[in-house]
Amino acid sequence: MASDGTPWGGGADNLWTKILAHNKELAKQPGGDQGRPDANLYIMGNRGYGKSTMLNRLLYPDKTDVPRSTEGMEYTYARKQVNNDRKDIAHIWELAGSESLCEEVTNSDNLFLGMRQVATAVVCITLDLSKPSEVLDALEFWLNKIKVKVGSTYDKLERRGSKLPDQLKLRAKKVFGAQHEDKDAVTHTGISLVIVATKYDCFKDHDAEVKKIMSRTLRYYAHLNGAALLYLGGLGPQKNVTPKDASEYKALLQNFRALVNNLIFAGPDRKISAKLQIETDHLKPLVIPAGVDKFKDIGRPKGGTGVDAIAEWRAVFQKLFPPIKKE
C-alpha cells in the first residue's frame, strides 16, 4: 500500500487520490462546510456474501442487476441535497479479499476508522445466510477487526488529550436510552454498527429450530455489541417469486435503506426505530435497530448459566452449524 494510504502507488495516475481530492473539493463548495462532517460508510464481509449487490440496491433501489464481485477495496460516494447551497457527503468503502489484504486495509489510519473517520463512521458487517456454517466465524472475525482498530484509534486520540472517545461512547449509550435495562451491560464502541445477514431467500425455508438458533445467536451478538441487526433477501434477479415474498423483500430493503441513510446523513442520535418495521420473531426476517432488543427477550441457550454467554451461544450454534474445516 502506498505511503498516502491508498491501495495503489503514488503518481499522476493515482485514481484513488483523485477521487478523494474530488470529494474534498465538493465538500468545500458554497455552504459545504456548514453541514455535518463527511460520513464514512464501510461495507465489510467475505467475498461472495452479497456486499456489492447490497450496496448497489442501497444506492439504486430499483436496480436488480448483480454487479461483479469485489476483490480488494472499492470506493464510491453518496450525496444528499440539504438545501440549495449544501450537500452532505458520505464516503463509501467496500472491502473483501484475502486475509492479508484485510489486515493491510484495516490497519491503515487513512482508510479505516482512523482519527478523521471514527466520529462519523458506520460499519456494515455482511453475513451470508446461504452459508450458515460460516456466519458466526465471519461475524466474530469482523467484530474483532473493528474493535481492535477502534481501540487503537481511541488510544491515539487520548494520547493527544482528546475527549472524543468518551464522547462517542456516551453518544452510543444514549441510543439505548437512560431507562434501558442493558445500557451498562453492552459494549458501546462509539461507532454505528449494522449487522446485515443477506440471502434470506435461501434460508427462509429451513425449519423453525434452525431459524431460532440462528436468530437468537445473531441477536445476542448484535445486542452485546450495540449493533443493529437486519435480514435482507431477494436482492438480485429472482425467478418464481411469489407476490408475498417480493413484497417482503422490498420491505426489508426499505428498512435497510432507511436505517443506513439515517445513520450516515443524520447520525445515530436521531432515532429511527419508529420508522422501521421492527421484527424479532425468528420465524420472520429480523429487523432490529440498535437499542431495541433486550438480553431477557433473547434468552439463554438451553442449560446455559449466563456465566460465559458468548461461549454458550457459540457452542449451541456450532453444534447445529459445524464450522467448515480449513484445508
Side-chain angles (χ1 to χ4, degrees), residues 131-150:
K131 302 173 181 177
S133 293
E134 298 181 11
V135 164
L136 191 54
D137 283 346
L139 177 57
E140 290 186 331
F141 173 83
W142 289 109
L143 281 173
N144 180 63
K145 291 294 179 191
I146 292 163
K147 289 179 180 179
V148 169
K149 186 53 187 290
V150 169

Side-chain angles (χ1 to χ4, degrees), residues 245-280:
D245 285 344
S247 177
E248 182 175 63
Y249 300 154
K250 182 178 180 180
L252 293 175
L253 179 62
Q254 289 172 339
N255 280 307
F256 170 69
R257 296 187 72 244
L259 176 66
V260 173
N261 275 297
N262 182 78
L263 290 174
I264 62 178
F265 288 122
D269 352 45
R270 303 287 182 89
K271 283 203 172 185
I272 193 173
S273 55
K275 298 180 181 179
L276 301 182
Q277 301 169 30
I278 296 173
E279 186 57 73
T280 60

Side-chain angles (χ1 to χ4, degrees), residues 46-318:
N46 298 9
R47 189 172 66 172
Y49 277 16
K51 300 182 306 303
S52 298
T53 306
M54 181 179 75
L55 177 56
N56 198 42
R57 298 299 298 277
L58 172 66
L59 298 174
Y60 312 105
D62 297 324
K63 286 190 175 182
T64 58
D65 56 308
V66 178
R68 63 180 176 81
S69 182
T70 297
E71 179 62 42
M73 193 167 194
E74 295 194 359
Y75 171 84
T76 187
Y77 66 95
R79 288 181 291 180
K80 180 181 180 182
Q81 190 77 43
V82 179
N83 54 45
N84 291 334
D85 295 324
R86 198 184 87 218
K87 295 176 182 177
D88 285 346
I89 298 174
H91 303 284
I92 304 174
W93 317 83
E94 181 188 351
L95 173 64
S98 66
E99 190 168 323
S100 60
L101 174 67
C102 294
E103 288 284 351
E104 189 173 5
V105 171
T106 55
N107 288 333
S108 168
D109 286 338
N110 291 335
L111 293 178
F112 184 63
L113 297 177
M115 290 186 286
R116 294 182 179 181
Q117 299 107 19
V118 71
T120 58
V122 179
V123 182
C124 288
I125 300 176
T126 311
L127 307 174
D128 186 344
L129 289 173
S130 73
K131 302 173 181 177
S133 293
E134 298 181 11
V135 164
L136 191 54
D137 283 346
L139 177 57
E140 290 186 331
F141 173 83
W142 289 109
L143 281 173
N144 180 63
K145 291 294 179 191
I146 292 163
K147 289 179 180 179
V148 169
K149 186 53 187 290
V150 169
S152 173
T153 298
Y154 284 175
D155 285 344
K156 292 174 183 177
L157 286 166
E158 288 167 350
R159 286 199 297 270
R160 295 185 175 194
S162 174
K163 301 295 184 183
L164 183 61
D166 289 337
Q167 293 169 350
L168 293 179
K169 292 175 185 178
L170 181 60
R171 181 187 68 179
K173 193 172 183 178
K174 286 182 177 179
V175 171
F176 276 61
Q179 304 305 315
H180 198 296
E181 61 195 62
D182 300 331
K183 67 182 188 299
D184 295 321
V186 166
T187 300
H188 299 288
T189 61
I191 65 171
S192 297
L193 283 174
V194 183
I195 298 170
V196 186
T198 65
K199 304 182 186 179
Y200 175 72
D201 45 305
C202 299
F203 183 75
K204 67 183 182 65
D205 292 328
H206 281 279
D207 66 45
E209 185 62 21
V210 170
K211 289 183 177 180
K212 182 178 180 181
I213 296 301
M214 178 64 76
S215 70
R216 291 178 70 192
T217 303
L218 290 181
R219 284 176 65 188
Y220 178 81
Y221 273 79
H223 188 52
L224 179 65
N225 291 281
L229 172 62
L230 298 94
Y231 284 4
L232 284 178
L235 293 178
Q238 298 288 303
K239 295 181 180 180
N240 303 319
V241 178
T242 67
K244 180 181 178 182
D245 285 344
S247 177
E248 182 175 63
Y249 300 154
K250 182 178 180 180
L252 293 175
L253 179 62
Q254 289 172 339
N255 280 307
F256 170 69
R257 296 187 72 244
L259 176 66
V260 173
N261 275 297
N262 182 78
L263 290 174
I264 62 178
F265 288 122
D269 352 45
R270 303 287 182 89
K271 283 203 172 185
I272 193 173
S273 55
K275 298 180 181 179
L276 301 182
Q277 301 169 30
I278 296 173
E279 186 57 73
T280 60
D281 186 347
H282 64 271
L283 297 176
K284 300 176 181 179
L286 302 179
V287 180
I288 311 174
V292 168
D293 222 337
K294 296 179 181 178
F295 286 127
K296 71 175 183 182
D297 293 338
I298 298 169
R300 294 177 181 169
K302 188 175 182 180
T305 64
V307 175
D308 189 350
I310 290 180
E312 291 173 355
W313 279 113
R314 187 185 298 117
V316 169
F317 187 92
Q318 292 181 343

